Amino acid sequence: MRNSMECREFHCSCSWIEKRSVMFKKHHGITSGKIMGEAAAVDGNVMDNWLQEKRQQIRENYEDSNIFNTDEMGLFYKLTPDRTLRFKGEKCTDGKLFKERITVLVAAHFRGTEKGIY
């Protein structure tokens, strides 16, 4: 007699596995959550006021050919993922993130004719 759990030629599609994964997570109350670390945000009112009042005053003194937009950012090359699986209601706050990074300066010309990463 053949064992009912024995299957030598089982094949399934990725969608079959994904459907079972979704059902398993739902059944056990597992969701995806963003790991929270430091949080900082710019007040939208401050930004809107600056754009309406100061931006035009500053632009009056420069030609478009002399205006560049630059932004400095950190490239965290050892950073672990910021999302994980968790049970509903569970917080994801434990663990420290790697702080090692390379600082990158990205620049673009106002007219879009010059771009660069430094």
Side-chain angles (χ1 to χ4, degrees), residues 40-69:
V42 175
D43 183 2
N45 294 330
V46 172
M47 185 178 69
D48 290 338
N49 289 340
W50 187 88
L51 285 172
Q52 291 174 3
E53 296 173 14
K54 299 290 182 183
R55 183 176 175 214
Q56 288 302 325
Q57 293 173 3
I58 294 170
R59 282 213 50 219
E60 289 173 359
N61 299 323
Y62 298 95
E63 296 178 21
D64 288 349
S65 60
N66 293 326
I67 299 174
F68 285 81
N69 182 23

PDB file of all heavy atoms in Angstrom, residues 40-69:
ATOM      1  N   ALA A  40      12.195  61.824  11.338  1.00  0.00           N
ATOM      2  CA  ALA A  40      12.271  63.286  11.263  1.00  0.00           C
ATOM      3  C   ALA A  40      11.508  63.715  10.015  1.00  0.00           C
ATOM      4  O   ALA A  40      11.587  63.085   8.978  1.00  0.00           O
ATOM      5  CB  ALA A  40      13.713  63.745  11.177  1.00  0.00           C
ATOM      6  N   ALA A  41      10.772  64.772  10.132  1.00  0.00           N
ATOM      7  CA  ALA A  41      10.007  65.263   8.994  1.00  0.00           C
ATOM      8  C   ALA A  41      10.050  66.780   8.988  1.00  0.00           C
ATOM      9  O   ALA A  41      10.177  67.426  10.023  1.00  0.00           O
ATOM     10  CB  ALA A  41       8.563  64.782   9.088  1.00  0.00           C
ATOM     11  N   VAL A  42       9.949  67.330   7.792  1.00  0.00           N
ATOM     12  CA  VAL A  42       9.906  68.777   7.636  1.00  0.00           C
ATOM     13  C   VAL A  42       8.452  69.212   7.712  1.00  0.00           C
ATOM     14  O   VAL A  42       7.575  68.600   7.117  1.00  0.00           O
ATOM     15  CB  VAL A  42      10.521  69.178   6.275  1.00  0.00           C
ATOM     16  CG1 VAL A  42      10.370  70.661   6.036  1.00  0.00           C
ATOM     17  CG2 VAL A  42      11.952  68.741   6.199  1.00  0.00           C
ATOM     18  N   ASP A  43       8.209  70.256   8.442  1.00  0.00           N
ATOM     19  CA  ASP A  43       6.866  70.812   8.544  1.00  0.00           C
ATOM     20  C   ASP A  43       6.470  71.351   7.169  1.00  0.00           C
ATOM     21  O   ASP A  43       7.150  72.207   6.600  1.00  0.00           O
ATOM     22  CB  ASP A  43       6.850  71.922   9.598  1.00  0.00           C
ATOM     23  CG  ASP A  43       5.463  72.513   9.811  1.00  0.00           C
ATOM     24  OD1 ASP A  43       4.499  72.038   9.180  1.00  0.00           O
ATOM     25  OD2 ASP A  43       5.352  73.452  10.620  1.00  0.00           O
ATOM     26  N   GLY A  44       5.362  70.851   6.641  1.00  0.00           N
ATOM     27  CA  GLY A  44       4.907  71.258   5.310  1.00  0.00           C
ATOM     28  C   GLY A  44       4.613  72.736   5.198  1.00  0.00           C
ATOM     29  O   GLY A  44       4.839  73.357   4.163  1.00  0.00           O
ATOM     30  N   ASN A  45       4.124  73.354   6.268  1.00  0.00           N
ATOM     31  CA  ASN A  45       3.821  74.792   6.245  1.00  0.00           C
ATOM     32  C   ASN A  45       5.086  75.619   6.094  1.00  0.00           C
ATOM     33  O   ASN A  45       5.102  76.621   5.373  1.00  0.00           O
ATOM     34  CB  ASN A  45       3.087  75.201   7.522  1.00  0.00           C
ATOM     35  CG  ASN A  45       1.712  74.580   7.611  1.00  0.00           C
ATOM     36  OD1 ASN A  45       1.078  74.329   6.588  1.00  0.00           O
ATOM     37  ND2 ASN A  45       1.254  74.328   8.817  1.00  0.00           N
ATOM     38  N   VAL A  46       6.158  75.196   6.767  1.00  0.00           N
ATOM     39  CA  VAL A  46       7.432  75.915   6.658  1.00  0.00           C
ATOM     40  C   VAL A  46       7.937  75.856   5.224  1.00  0.00           C
ATOM     41  O   VAL A  46       8.382  76.860   4.657  1.00  0.00           O
ATOM     42  CB  VAL A  46       8.476  75.317   7.629  1.00  0.00           C
ATOM     43  CG1 VAL A  46       9.847  75.915   7.399  1.00  0.00           C
ATOM     44  CG2 VAL A  46       8.042  75.522   9.063  1.00  0.00           C
ATOM     45  N   MET A  47       7.847  74.690   4.611  1.00  0.00           N
ATOM     46  CA  MET A  47       8.316  74.524   3.236  1.00  0.00           C
ATOM     47  C   MET A  47       7.472  75.362   2.267  1.00  0.00           C
ATOM     48  O   MET A  47       8.013  76.032   1.391  1.00  0.00           O
ATOM     49  CB  MET A  47       8.256  73.050   2.836  1.00  0.00           C
ATOM     50  CG  MET A  47       8.849  72.784   1.470  1.00  0.00           C
ATOM     51  SD  MET A  47       8.839  71.054   1.035  1.00  0.00           S
ATOM     52  CE  MET A  47       7.101  70.761   0.836  1.00  0.00           C
ATOM     53  N   ASP A  48       6.165  75.336   2.426  1.00  0.00           N
ATOM     54  CA  ASP A  48       5.288  76.119   1.541  1.00  0.00           C
ATOM     55  C   ASP A  48       5.566  77.606   1.658  1.00  0.00           C
ATOM     56  O   ASP A  48       5.623  78.320   0.645  1.00  0.00           O
ATOM     57  CB  ASP A  48       3.813  75.836   1.860  1.00  0.00           C
ATOM     58  CG  ASP A  48       3.392  74.439   1.451  1.00  0.00           C
ATOM     59  OD1 ASP A  48       4.065  73.834   0.579  1.00  0.00           O
ATOM     60  OD2 ASP A  48       2.384  73.946   2.000  1.00  0.00           O
ATOM     61  N   ASN A  49       5.755  78.086   2.881  1.00  0.00           N
ATOM     62  CA  ASN A  49       6.062  79.507   3.079  1.00  0.00           C
ATOM     63  C   ASN A  49       7.376  79.886   2.409  1.00  0.00           C
ATOM     64  O   ASN A  49       7.484  80.939   1.783  1.00  0.00           O
ATOM     65  CB  ASN A  49       6.116  79.851   4.572  1.00  0.00           C
ATOM     66  CG  ASN A  49       4.748  79.815   5.206  1.00  0.00           C
ATOM     67  OD1 ASN A  49       3.735  79.904   4.526  1.00  0.00           O
ATOM     68  ND2 ASN A  49       4.728  79.653   6.520  1.00  0.00           N
ATOM     69  N   TRP A  50       8.386  79.034   2.551  1.00  0.00           N
ATOM     70  CA  TRP A  50       9.678  79.319   1.937  1.00  0.00           C
ATOM     71  C   TRP A  50       9.544  79.362   0.416  1.00  0.00           C
ATOM     72  O   TRP A  50      10.071  80.266  -0.234  1.00  0.00           O
ATOM     73  CB  TRP A  50      10.716  78.264   2.329  1.00  0.00           C
ATOM     74  CG  TRP A  50      12.085  78.621   1.840  1.00  0.00           C
ATOM     75  CD1 TRP A  50      13.007  79.372   2.480  1.00  0.00           C
ATOM     76  CD2 TRP A  50      12.673  78.252   0.584  1.00  0.00           C
ATOM     77  NE1 TRP A  50      14.130  79.501   1.715  1.00  0.00           N
ATOM     78  CE2 TRP A  50      13.956  78.828   0.533  1.00  0.00           C
ATOM     79  CE3 TRP A  50      12.240  77.515  -0.506  1.00  0.00           C
ATOM     80  CZ2 TRP A  50      14.811  78.664  -0.544  1.00  0.00           C
ATOM     81  CZ3 TRP A  50      13.087  77.350  -1.586  1.00  0.00           C
ATOM     82  CH2 TRP A  50      14.359  77.924  -1.596  1.00  0.00           C
ATOM     83  N   LEU A  51       8.830  78.397  -0.161  1.00  0.00           N
ATOM     84  CA  LEU A  51       8.671  78.364  -1.616  1.00  0.00           C
ATOM     85  C   LEU A  51       7.955  79.615  -2.128  1.00  0.00           C
ATOM     86  O   LEU A  51       8.314  80.162  -3.166  1.00  0.00           O
ATOM     87  CB  LEU A  51       7.903  77.109  -2.048  1.00  0.00           C
ATOM     88  CG  LEU A  51       8.691  75.815  -2.006  1.00  0.00           C
ATOM     89  CD1 LEU A  51       7.765  74.627  -2.262  1.00  0.00           C
ATOM     90  CD2 LEU A  51       9.820  75.828  -3.024  1.00  0.00           C
ATOM     91  N   GLN A  52       6.945  80.070  -1.422  1.00  0.00           N
ATOM     92  CA  GLN A  52       6.177  81.227  -1.881  1.00  0.00           C
ATOM     93  C   GLN A  52       6.905  82.548  -1.654  1.00  0.00           C
ATOM     94  O   GLN A  52       6.837  83.446  -2.488  1.00  0.00           O
ATOM     95  CB  GLN A  52       4.817  81.256  -1.168  1.00  0.00           C
ATOM     96  CG  GLN A  52       3.907  80.146  -1.598  1.00  0.00           C
ATOM     97  CD  GLN A  52       2.615  80.102  -0.792  1.00  0.00           C
ATOM     98  OE1 GLN A  52       2.381  80.946   0.065  1.00  0.00           O
ATOM     99  NE2 GLN A  52       1.786  79.120  -1.062  1.00  0.00           N
ATOM    100  N   GLU A  53       7.608  82.676  -0.538  1.00  0.00           N
ATOM    101  CA  GLU A  53       8.184  83.969  -0.187  1.00  0.00           C
ATOM    102  C   GLU A  53       9.642  84.129  -0.606  1.00  0.00           C
ATOM    103  O   GLU A  53      10.014  85.109  -1.233  1.00  0.00           O
ATOM    104  CB  GLU A  53       8.064  84.196   1.322  1.00  0.00           C
ATOM    105  CG  GLU A  53       6.619  84.292   1.775  1.00  0.00           C
ATOM    106  CD  GLU A  53       6.494  84.348   3.285  1.00  0.00           C
ATOM    107  OE1 GLU A  53       7.523  84.571   3.958  1.00  0.00           O
ATOM    108  OE2 GLU A  53       5.380  84.173   3.786  1.00  0.00           O
ATOM    109  N   LYS A  54      10.485  83.204  -0.247  1.00  0.00           N
ATOM    110  CA  LYS A  54      11.932  83.370  -0.415  1.00  0.00           C
ATOM    111  C   LYS A  54      12.466  82.918  -1.772  1.00  0.00           C
ATOM    112  O   LYS A  54      13.411  83.495  -2.291  1.00  0.00           O
ATOM    113  CB  LYS A  54      12.678  82.602   0.681  1.00  0.00           C
ATOM    114  CG  LYS A  54      12.360  83.061   2.072  1.00  0.00           C
ATOM    115  CD  LYS A  54      12.936  84.427   2.307  1.00  0.00           C
ATOM    116  CE  LYS A  54      12.663  84.886   3.737  1.00  0.00           C
ATOM    117  NZ  LYS A  54      13.130  86.209   3.970  1.00  0.00           N
ATOM    118  N   ARG A  55      11.866  81.909  -2.333  1.00  0.00           N
ATOM    119  CA  ARG A  55      12.412  81.331  -3.566  1.00  0.00           C
ATOM    120  C   ARG A  55      12.506  82.361  -4.690  1.00  0.00           C
ATOM    121  O   ARG A  55      13.538  82.474  -5.352  1.00  0.00           O
ATOM    122  CB  ARG A  55      11.553  80.151  -3.993  1.00  0.00           C
ATOM    123  CG  ARG A  55      12.060  79.447  -5.215  1.00  0.00           C
ATOM    124  CD  ARG A  55      11.194  78.233  -5.492  1.00  0.00           C
ATOM    125  NE  ARG A  55      11.602  77.613  -6.720  1.00  0.00           N
ATOM    126  CZ  ARG A  55      10.773  77.014  -7.542  1.00  0.00           C
ATOM    127  NH1 ARG A  55       9.498  76.940  -7.245  1.00  0.00           N
ATOM    128  NH2 ARG A  55      11.201  76.467  -8.646  1.00  0.00           N
ATOM    129  N   GLN A  56      11.452  83.095  -4.920  1.00  0.00           N
ATOM    130  CA  GLN A  56      11.453  84.081  -6.007  1.00  0.00           C
ATOM    131  C   GLN A  56      12.469  85.195  -5.755  1.00  0.00           C
ATOM    132  O   GLN A  56      13.129  85.665  -6.679  1.00  0.00           O
ATOM    133  CB  GLN A  56      10.050  84.660  -6.220  1.00  0.00           C
ATOM    134  CG  GLN A  56       9.077  83.686  -6.844  1.00  0.00           C
ATOM    135  CD  GLN A  56       9.560  83.177  -8.192  1.00  0.00           C
ATOM    136  OE1 GLN A  56      10.190  83.872  -8.978  1.00  0.00           O
ATOM    137  NE2 GLN A  56       9.280  81.907  -8.458  1.00  0.00           N
ATOM    138  N   GLN A  57      12.615  85.610  -4.511  1.00  0.00           N
ATOM    139  CA  GLN A  57      13.593  86.653  -4.185  1.00  0.00           C
ATOM    140  C   GLN A  57      15.008  86.172  -4.499  1.00  0.00           C
ATOM    141  O   GLN A  57      15.823  86.930  -5.039  1.00  0.00           O
ATOM    142  CB  GLN A  57      13.501  87.019  -2.697  1.00  0.00           C
ATOM    143  CG  GLN A  57      12.212  87.698  -2.319  1.00  0.00           C
ATOM    144  CD  GLN A  57      12.100  87.874  -0.806  1.00  0.00           C
ATOM    145  OE1 GLN A  57      13.009  87.540  -0.064  1.00  0.00           O
ATOM    146  NE2 GLN A  57      10.964  88.391  -0.358  1.00  0.00           N
ATOM    147  N   ILE A  58      15.297  84.952  -4.181  1.00  0.00           N
ATOM    148  CA  ILE A  58      16.632  84.397  -4.439  1.00  0.00           C
ATOM    149  C   ILE A  58      16.872  84.241  -5.943  1.00  0.00           C
ATOM    150  O   ILE A  58      17.932  84.591  -6.461  1.00  0.00           O
ATOM    151  CB  ILE A  58      16.805  83.052  -3.706  1.00  0.00           C
ATOM    152  CG1 ILE A  58      16.779  83.291  -2.195  1.00  0.00           C
ATOM    153  CG2 ILE A  58      18.087  82.358  -4.126  1.00  0.00           C
ATOM    154  CD1 ILE A  58      16.699  82.021  -1.367  1.00  0.00           C
ATOM    155  N   ARG A  59      15.881  83.741  -6.674  1.00  0.00           N
ATOM    156  CA  ARG A  59      16.031  83.504  -8.112  1.00  0.00           C
ATOM    157  C   ARG A  59      16.247  84.783  -8.912  1.00  0.00           C
ATOM    158  O   ARG A  59      16.866  84.762  -9.972  1.00  0.00           O
ATOM    159  CB  ARG A  59      14.799  82.783  -8.660  1.00  0.00           C
ATOM    160  CG  ARG A  59      14.841  81.310  -8.333  1.00  0.00           C
ATOM    161  CD  ARG A  59      14.217  80.413  -9.347  1.00  0.00           C
ATOM    162  NE  ARG A  59      14.645  80.640 -10.703  1.00  0.00           N
ATOM    163  CZ  ARG A  59      13.825  80.589 -11.751  1.00  0.00           C
ATOM    164  NH1 ARG A  59      12.557  80.351 -11.599  1.00  0.00           N
ATOM    165  NH2 ARG A  59      14.280  80.773 -12.964  1.00  0.00           N
ATOM    166  N   GLU A  60      15.755  85.897  -8.428  1.00  0.00           N
ATOM    167  CA  GLU A  60      15.897  87.169  -9.150  1.00  0.00           C
ATOM    168  C   GLU A  60      17.361  87.549  -9.346  1.00  0.00           C
ATOM    169  O   GLU A  60      17.697  88.256 -10.284  1.00  0.00           O
ATOM    170  CB  GLU A  60      15.167  88.283  -8.399  1.00  0.00           C
ATOM    171  CG  GLU A  60      13.670  88.167  -8.461  1.00  0.00           C
ATOM    172  CD  GLU A  60      12.964  89.177  -7.567  1.00  0.00           C
ATOM    173  OE1 GLU A  60      13.650  89.957  -6.881  1.00  0.00           O
ATOM    174  OE2 GLU A  60      11.724  89.164  -7.551  1.00  0.00           O
ATOM    175  N   ASN A  61      18.241  87.088  -8.484  1.00  0.00           N
ATOM    176  CA  ASN A  61      19.649  87.462  -8.533  1.00  0.00           C
ATOM    177  C   ASN A  61      20.514  86.543  -9.408  1.00  0.00           C
ATOM    178  O   ASN A  61      21.704  86.796  -9.544  1.00  0.00           O
ATOM    179  CB  ASN A  61      20.232  87.480  -7.117  1.00  0.00           C
ATOM    180  CG  ASN A  61      19.526  88.484  -6.233  1.00  0.00           C
ATOM    181  OD1 ASN A  61      19.153  89.560  -6.682  1.00  0.00           O
ATOM    182  ND2 ASN A  61      19.305  88.114  -4.990  1.00  0.00           N
ATOM    183  N   TYR A  62      19.932  85.513  -9.994  1.00  0.00           N
ATOM    184  CA  TYR A  62      20.726  84.547 -10.761  1.00  0.00           C
ATOM    185  C   TYR A  62      20.069  84.239 -12.089  1.00  0.00           C
ATOM    186  O   TYR A  62      18.847  84.209 -12.207  1.00  0.00           O
ATOM    187  CB  TYR A  62      20.883  83.241  -9.970  1.00  0.00           C
ATOM    188  CG  TYR A  62      21.604  83.424  -8.667  1.00  0.00           C
ATOM    189  CD1 TYR A  62      20.897  83.623  -7.485  1.00  0.00           C
ATOM    190  CD2 TYR A  62      22.985  83.416  -8.613  1.00  0.00           C
ATOM    191  CE1 TYR A  62      21.549  83.801  -6.280  1.00  0.00           C
ATOM    192  CE2 TYR A  62      23.649  83.600  -7.413  1.00  0.00           C
ATOM    193  CZ  TYR A  62      22.931  83.790  -6.260  1.00  0.00           C
ATOM    194  OH  TYR A  62      23.580  83.959  -5.060  1.00  0.00           O
ATOM    195  N   GLU A  63      20.905  83.972 -13.087  1.00  0.00           N
ATOM    196  CA  GLU A  63      20.416  83.503 -14.383  1.00  0.00           C
ATOM    197  C   GLU A  63      20.147  82.005 -14.282  1.00  0.00           C
ATOM    198  O   GLU A  63      20.772  81.306 -13.486  1.00  0.00           O
ATOM    199  CB  GLU A  63      21.462  83.762 -15.468  1.00  0.00           C
ATOM    200  CG  GLU A  63      21.749  85.229 -15.708  1.00  0.00           C
ATOM    201  CD  GLU A  63      22.823  85.421 -16.760  1.00  0.00           C
ATOM    202  OE1 GLU A  63      23.046  84.499 -17.561  1.00  0.00           O
ATOM    203  OE2 GLU A  63      23.443  86.494 -16.761  1.00  0.00           O
ATOM    204  N   ASP A  64      19.245  81.515 -15.127  1.00  0.00           N
ATOM    205  CA  ASP A  64      18.924  80.083 -15.107  1.00  0.00           C
ATOM    206  C   ASP A  64      20.164  79.217 -15.343  1.00  0.00           C
ATOM    207  O   ASP A  64      20.265  78.120 -14.802  1.00  0.00           O
ATOM    208  CB  ASP A  64      17.871  79.759 -16.159  1.00  0.00           C
ATOM    209  CG  ASP A  64      16.490  80.288 -15.762  1.00  0.00           C
ATOM    210  OD1 ASP A  64      16.333  80.707 -14.605  1.00  0.00           O
ATOM    211  OD2 ASP A  64      15.589  80.243 -16.617  1.00  0.00           O
ATOM    212  N   SER A  65      21.112  79.722 -16.129  1.00  0.00           N
ATOM    213  CA  SER A  65      22.312  78.932 -16.427  1.00  0.00           C
ATOM    214  C   SER A  65      23.225  78.775 -15.208  1.00  0.00           C
ATOM    215  O   SER A  65      24.145  77.961 -15.229  1.00  0.00           O
ATOM    216  CB  SER A  65      23.088  79.572 -17.574  1.00  0.00           C
ATOM    217  OG  SER A  65      23.488  80.882 -17.215  1.00  0.00           O
ATOM    218  N   ASN A  66      22.988  79.537 -14.160  1.00  0.00           N
ATOM    219  CA  ASN A  66      23.811  79.461 -12.950  1.00  0.00           C
ATOM    220  C   ASN A  66      23.089  78.804 -11.765  1.00  0.00           C
ATOM    221  O   ASN A  66      23.555  78.896 -10.638  1.00  0.00           O
ATOM    222  CB  ASN A  66      24.267  80.861 -12.532  1.00  0.00           C
ATOM    223  CG  ASN A  66      25.223  81.460 -13.528  1.00  0.00           C
ATOM    224  OD1 ASN A  66      26.015  80.747 -14.135  1.00  0.00           O
ATOM    225  ND2 ASN A  66      25.148  82.757 -13.716  1.00  0.00           N
ATOM    226  N   ILE A  67      21.961  78.159 -12.043  1.00  0.00           N
ATOM    227  CA  ILE A  67      21.195  77.536 -10.962  1.00  0.00           C
ATOM    228  C   ILE A  67      21.331  76.017 -11.042  1.00  0.00           C
ATOM    229  O   ILE A  67      21.070  75.414 -12.079  1.00  0.00           O
ATOM    230  CB  ILE A  67      19.709  77.932 -11.019  1.00  0.00           C
ATOM    231  CG1 ILE A  67      19.567  79.444 -10.862  1.00  0.00           C
ATOM    232  CG2 ILE A  67      18.907  77.194  -9.966  1.00  0.00           C
ATOM    233  CD1 ILE A  67      18.146  79.949 -11.039  1.00  0.00           C
ATOM    234  N   PHE A  68      21.763  75.435  -9.947  1.00  0.00           N
ATOM    235  CA  PHE A  68      21.878  73.988  -9.837  1.00  0.00           C
ATOM    236  C   PHE A  68      21.079  73.528  -8.625  1.00  0.00           C
ATOM    237  O   PHE A  68      20.978  74.234  -7.627  1.00  0.00           O
ATOM    238  CB  PHE A  68      23.340  73.563  -9.641  1.00  0.00           C
ATOM    239  CG  PHE A  68      24.162  73.651 -10.886  1.00  0.00           C
ATOM    240  CD1 PHE A  68      24.692  74.860 -11.304  1.00  0.00           C
ATOM    241  CD2 PHE A  68      24.413  72.524 -11.641  1.00  0.00           C
ATOM    242  CE1 PHE A  68      25.456  74.956 -12.441  1.00  0.00           C
ATOM    243  CE2 PHE A  68      25.179  72.593 -12.782  1.00  0.00           C
ATOM    244  CZ  PHE A  68      25.704  73.815 -13.190  1.00  0.00           C
ATOM    245  N   ASN A  69      20.530  72.356  -8.720  1.00  0.00           N
ATOM    246  CA  ASN A  69      19.882  71.733  -7.573  1.00  0.00           C
ATOM    247  C   ASN A  69      20.785  70.593  -7.119  1.00  0.00           C
ATOM    248  O   ASN A  69      21.134  69.723  -7.910  1.00  0.00           O
ATOM    249  CB  ASN A  69      18.499  71.194  -7.945  1.00  0.00           C
ATOM    250  CG  ASN A  69      17.793  70.599  -6.750  1.00  0.00           C
ATOM    251  OD1 ASN A  69      18.089  70.938  -5.607  1.00  0.00           O
ATOM    252  ND2 ASN A  69      16.865  69.692  -7.011  1.00  0.00           N
TER     253      ASN A  69
END
